[in-house]
Amino acid sequence: MTATTPSAPHAPQPALKIALLGAGTVGSQVARILTEDAEMLAARVGTRLELAGVFVRNPDGRRDYQLPRELYTTDAEALVDSADIVLELMGGIEPAKSLIERAIGNGSAVVTGNKALLAQSGSELFAAAAEAGTQLSFEASVAGAIPILRPLRDSLAGDTVTRVMGIANGTTNYILDQMDSTGAAFDDALADAQELGYAEADPTADIEGHDAAAKAAILANLAFHAPFRIDEVYCEGITRITAADNEAASEAGYVIKLLAIAERITAVDGTAGAVLRVHPTLLPREHPLAAVRGAFNAVFVEAQNAGELMFYGPGAGGAPTASAVMGDTVSIARRLVRGGAGRTHTPRSVVPALPVGEARTSYMIVIRVADRPGVLAAIASAVAEHGVSIVSMRQVPLAEDDLVVEESDEAYTDEAPESLLRIITHEAKEQNLAATVATIKELDVVTEVVSVLRVEGN
């Protein structure tokens, strides 16, 4: 009888070295999780995740979560060269891009939350990672803690996503929610958001829609399996939204949200493509996205077979976004322990970005008009001229207190009274609706086009 030698126990896996680039709001929380939850992470991964160091510009600065001084370094390249996994949480284009390229060139896996970089150069970085056989993950780049990118990439991979529409910026949602619920003016709501830490000292990227536009490009990239860039996203911010806009919206049964929208469409000439747009939008109050309050985010997905899906949760903040970073990190670490090629998103379709004029939407147009016979007929004729039809039209006489009188306008009291006319159109091509507004502005019965807002979800 031949004796058998018992199989040797599995050799312990060497620790995986983690390089953290950035120790701001999110980076500090990632450092906390790696430190305080080390045992739990090791059990889930199969080996320890060792924080090799943190790249910062000032090693002596105070941070939300303080590590031993020796872990902070100003030598980003040396830190990247020492790591198995690089977590890029610096933001901005450079040096983030160069450091990610260096990590990929070393064969290291990368996790990033850098939406601006991915929206500008994502396809280039994805291709580099695929060629190197390593992994570039980016769940934290859109909607904070909400797991939206993996479902688009994996869960809906066997379906055809036709539309993605979401509240992708917590700052603007907080501002618009305050304007709607309390009647606050835009400047006051912005100041409140800054005081609470929802808005930066320079809030331009948020309130002008650039942050949401970057996220729209990333969402479209995954939803439609095609490369899109931020410069292919039509973008309007919320700085022109007034208390009067909110009042008109509320009276009509709507709420104003800044939406990022990516949708498949067929252009007039038969070209199949996608329109990507970010702008303030009226939503019926019964729409699921209308109920998203405060600084929360939500993404509404429409697919041919799955139907309508909504993903909701904290869209920003250190701990929620760190959760998304760590989800990617653990997934990569498990692969490194078990072996196998890196998994990186590689767009494989050709879906051209079409101009916003090809989109189909509805408008709410608020017009200041002379209050005299024939006004409604003139407006209706101008709308019909461009093949647009009207859902509803409401005329409200202006009180004397609402009239703006210039000191030099001595004859003003002899003029005919004015009223506000609120029109909501049926869905039509964006270019036809824009032409309708241009024609209305030229009518002699129109004093001013007060506001134009798009309507979705009817």
Side-chain angles (χ1 to χ4, degrees):
M1 181 175 177
T2 305
T4 58
T5 304
S7 58
H10 292 296
Q13 292 282 344
L16 293 172
K17 293 188 179 297
I18 310 294
L20 177 57
L21 307 181
T25 302
V26 178
S28 290
Q29 292 302 313
V30 168
R32 176 186 62 79
I33 295 170
L34 285 168
T35 303
E36 295 182 355
D37 296 340
E39 294 302 320
M40 176 268 288
L41 294 170
R44 293 181 181 179
V45 169
T47 191
R48 289 187 305 112
L49 301 181
E50 178 183 318
L51 184 56
V54 184
F55 167 66
V56 292
R57 290 184 173 84
N58 177 15
D60 296 315
R62 298 301 301 174
R63 295 171 176 89
D64 293 343
Y65 185 82
Q66 200 67 31
L67 294 166
R69 172 63 176 76
E70 61 269 17
L71 281 175
Y72 296 109
T73 178
T74 58
D75 191 343
E77 293 184 350
L79 180 60
V80 166
D81 291 346
S82 72
D84 299 299
I85 305 173
V86 174
L87 312 184
E88 186 278 300
L89 301 173
M90 303 163 56
I93 305 301
E94 288 293 353
K97 182 182 179 185
S98 295
L99 291 171
I100 289 175
E101 290 173 332
R102 187 182 185 95
I104 290 171
N106 292 342
S108 300
V110 176
V111 176
T112 181
N114 195 330
K115 52 193 169 287
L117 176 58
L118 292 174
Q120 176 179 297
S121 304
S123 295
E124 176 186 340
L125 294 173
F126 298 147
E131 184 177 352
T134 190
Q135 189 158 333
L136 172 60
S137 297
F138 49 101
E139 184 67 61
S141 64
V142 177
I146 303 173
I148 177 60
L149 301 189
R150 275 195 204 92
L152 284 175
R153 184 193 65 198
D154 299 335
S155 304
L156 296 172
D159 208 336
T160 298
V161 175
T162 55
R163 197 168 198 244
V164 179
M165 179 170 73
I167 297 167
N169 182 273
T171 300
T172 52
N173 199 58
Y174 178 83
I175 292 170
L176 292 173
D177 183 42
Q178 288 296 296
M179 293 177 73
D180 172 60
S181 60
T182 71
F186 172 82
D187 288 342
D188 293 335
L190 171 58
D192 190 27
Q194 289 173 319
E195 185 176 343
L196 291 170
Y198 295 145
E200 302 287 343
D202 178 3
T204 303
D206 294 322
I207 63 176
E208 294 294 350
H210 305 316
D211 175 82
K215 295 170 181 175
I218 295 169
L219 288 168
N221 198 311
L222 287 165
F224 306 144
H225 307 282
F228 294 99
R229 302 183 312 275
I230 190 170
D231 58 8
E232 295 173 311
V233 183
Y234 173 82
C235 186
E236 287 181 24
I238 65 168
T239 55
R240 296 181 188 176
I241 301 299
T242 66
D245 291 328
N246 275 287
E247 183 179 352
S250 182
E251 287 179 357
Y254 294 96
V255 63
I256 302 174
K257 298 291 186 182
L258 183 75
L259 295 186
I261 302 171
E263 56 192 342
R264 293 179 186 265
I265 66 164
T266 300
V268 174
D269 64 2
T271 302
V275 172
L276 282 59
R277 50 194 170 104
V278 169
H279 49 68
T281 308
L282 296 177
L283 284 171
R285 289 204 177 262
E286 61 271 18
H287 193 283
L289 289 176
V292 178
R293 307 292 301 274
F296 278 70
N297 281 192
V299 181
F300 197 76
V301 178
E302 298 174 26
Q304 282 185 357
N305 299 304
E308 298 178 344
L309 308 168
M310 194 170 92
F311 301 82
Y312 167 84
T321 307
S323 172
V325 172
M326 291 307 303
D328 280 342
T329 304
V330 168
S331 176
I332 288 172
R334 284 172 171 167
R335 177 188 63 78
L336 291 175
V337 167
R338 295 169 185 171
R343 180 179 183 185
T344 296
H345 171 67
T346 305
R348 300 185 182 278
S349 303
V350 178
V351 181
L354 300 176
V356 70
E358 296 291 344
R360 293 189 64 83
T361 186
S362 304
Y363 275 7
M364 183 176 80
I365 310 167
V366 179
I367 314 163
R368 189 179 181 128
V369 297
D371 196 359
R372 63 173 189 251
V375 169
L376 298 185
I379 298 294
S381 176
V383 172
E385 180 183 335
H386 298 283
V388 176
S389 59
I390 295 174
V391 174
S392 66
M393 183 184 296
R394 182 167 186 262
Q395 189 170 12
V396 181
L398 280 171
E400 191 171 319
D401 289 346
D402 295 327
L403 298 175
V404 179
V405 182
E406 300 291 339
E407 291 183 7
S408 59
D409 191 1
E410 298 176 358
Y412 186 86
T413 55
D414 295 331
E415 295 292 328
E418 291 186 316
S419 61
L420 285 181
L421 186 63
R422 186 190 72 216
I423 298 169
I424 297 178
T425 74
H426 280 290
E427 186 180 85
K429 283 283 187 184
E430 168 86 16
Q431 57 195 9
N432 294 347
L433 290 165
T436 298
V437 173
T439 298
I440 288 173
K441 287 181 178 179
E442 298 301 318
L443 296 176
D444 60 5
V445 297
V446 173
T447 305
E448 177 190 8
V449 174
V450 178
S451 68
V452 178
L453 289 169
R454 295 169 181 83
V455 182
E456 298 286 343
N458 279 334

